């Protein structure tokens, strides 16, 4: 059973998508449509922009979404998923790839999501940190003891958990977790506390847009970040997508659930190889590769 997985923020690189644009008229059509929808030439930044330009919030999330979704479109009939999942932003890419959302609606939601998250970041000083080499329960336990907001945000793989919250609380948690044996506790160069209660303003803003958007029934189960189990109906998918901004990304749990439900091969659809790397740490016995056209 083939499981297709879609990356999130951080997978971007200069030149992403250019090969698709040059080789496939269908890809060119979708890229040009995206430029029209967004109101600026995102293709210029994706194909020729600097790393700094690609890190702009209004660019990063749509760029990764476009690379992933257009790659899935180009795969055509060979894209036959038994199940799908996406890491954070990648969940929207997955939903468009399997027809739950139209391309246009998906891109509109991604753009609104990026701007809503940026606005939330600007209202309160916040950050994230990667904790390496501790069990999840230990990280959760000591985060709960820190004054202020700091929570588990991304369960990326065993021994790698990203925490998120107020700057001082995250820094304090890092100090404590190093004392408790973490191999690394590194504050990340991100603009805010994604997947934490501090994203509530963004969640409220995006909820209205999601509620107003048509969601179709999925052609295969979707393993959503907040649920880490097979979801098969549009109404539940919509509710989970609203909850995602303030809830943790249960990526390890999603992959483990997909394997338990019969996934034998994982194919990453989008830029980079981040998810393939995490797969090797979650279950080295299961095949993982990048989508090829």
């Amino acid at each position: 059973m083939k499981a297709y997985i879609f990356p999130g923020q951080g997978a971007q690189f200069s030149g992403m998508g250019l090969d698709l644009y040059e080789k496939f008229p269908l890809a060119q059509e979708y890229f040009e449509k995206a430029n029209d929808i967004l109101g600026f030439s995102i293709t210029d930044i994706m194909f020729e922009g600097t790393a700094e330009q690609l890190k702009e919030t209004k660019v990063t999330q749509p760029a990764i979404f476009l690379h992933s979704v257009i790659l899935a479109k180009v795969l055509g009939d060979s894209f036959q998923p038994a199940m799908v999942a996406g890491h954070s932003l990648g969940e929207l890419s997955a939903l468009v790839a399997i027809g739950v959302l139209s391309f246009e609606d998906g891109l509109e939601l991604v753009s609104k999501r990026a701007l809503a998250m940026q606005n939330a970041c600007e209202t309160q000083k916040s950050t994230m940190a990667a904790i390496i080499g501790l069990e999840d329960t230990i990280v959760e336990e000591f985060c709960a003891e820190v004054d202020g907001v700091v929570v588990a945000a991304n369960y990326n793989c065993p021994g790698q958990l990203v925490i998120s919250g107020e700057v001082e609380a995250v820094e304090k948690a890092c100090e404590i977790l190093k004392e408790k044996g973490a191999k690394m506790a590194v504050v990340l160069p991100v603009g805010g506390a994604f997947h934490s209660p501090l994203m509530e303003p963004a969640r409220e803003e995006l909820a209205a847009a999601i509620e107003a958007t048509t969601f179709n029934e999925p052609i295969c189960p979707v393993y959503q970040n907040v649920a880490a189990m097979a979801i098969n109906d549009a109404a539940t998918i919509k509710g989970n997508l609203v909850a995602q901004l303030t809830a943790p990304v249960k990526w390890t749990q999603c992959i483990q659930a997909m394997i338990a439900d019969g996934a034998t091969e994982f194919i990453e659809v989008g830029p980079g190889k981040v998810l393939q790397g995490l797969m090797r740490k979650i279950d080295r016995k299961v095949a993982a590769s990048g989508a090829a056209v």
Side-chain angles (χ1 to χ4, degrees), residues 33-101:
K33 189 183 290 188
N35 287 338
D36 291 340
I37 291 169
L38 293 171
F40 67 94
S41 183
I42 193 168
T43 50
D44 285 351
I45 305 172
M46 289 175 69
F47 302 163
E48 300 169 6
T50 63
E52 276 305 308
Q53 289 173 310
L54 276 169
K55 272 168 60 178
E56 280 188 62
T57 302
K58 72 171 185 177
V59 173
T60 311
Q61 296 191 27
I64 293 165
F65 166 88
L66 288 171
H67 190 287
S68 296
V69 168
I70 293 171
L71 177 53
K73 298 276 188 193
V74 168
L75 289 172
D77 292 340
S78 68
F79 180 70
Q80 296 284 344
M83 54 186 80
V84 296
H87 190 289
S88 190
L89 159 74
E91 194 160 281
L92 279 158
S93 308
L95 294 176
V96 172
I98 63 169
V100 173
L101 289 166

Side-chain angles (χ1 to χ4, degrees), residues 198-211:
L198 300 182
M199 283 291 116
E200 181 58 25
R203 190 199 65 78
E204 290 176 5
E205 199 175 323
L206 196 63
I210 288 172
E211 288 303 331

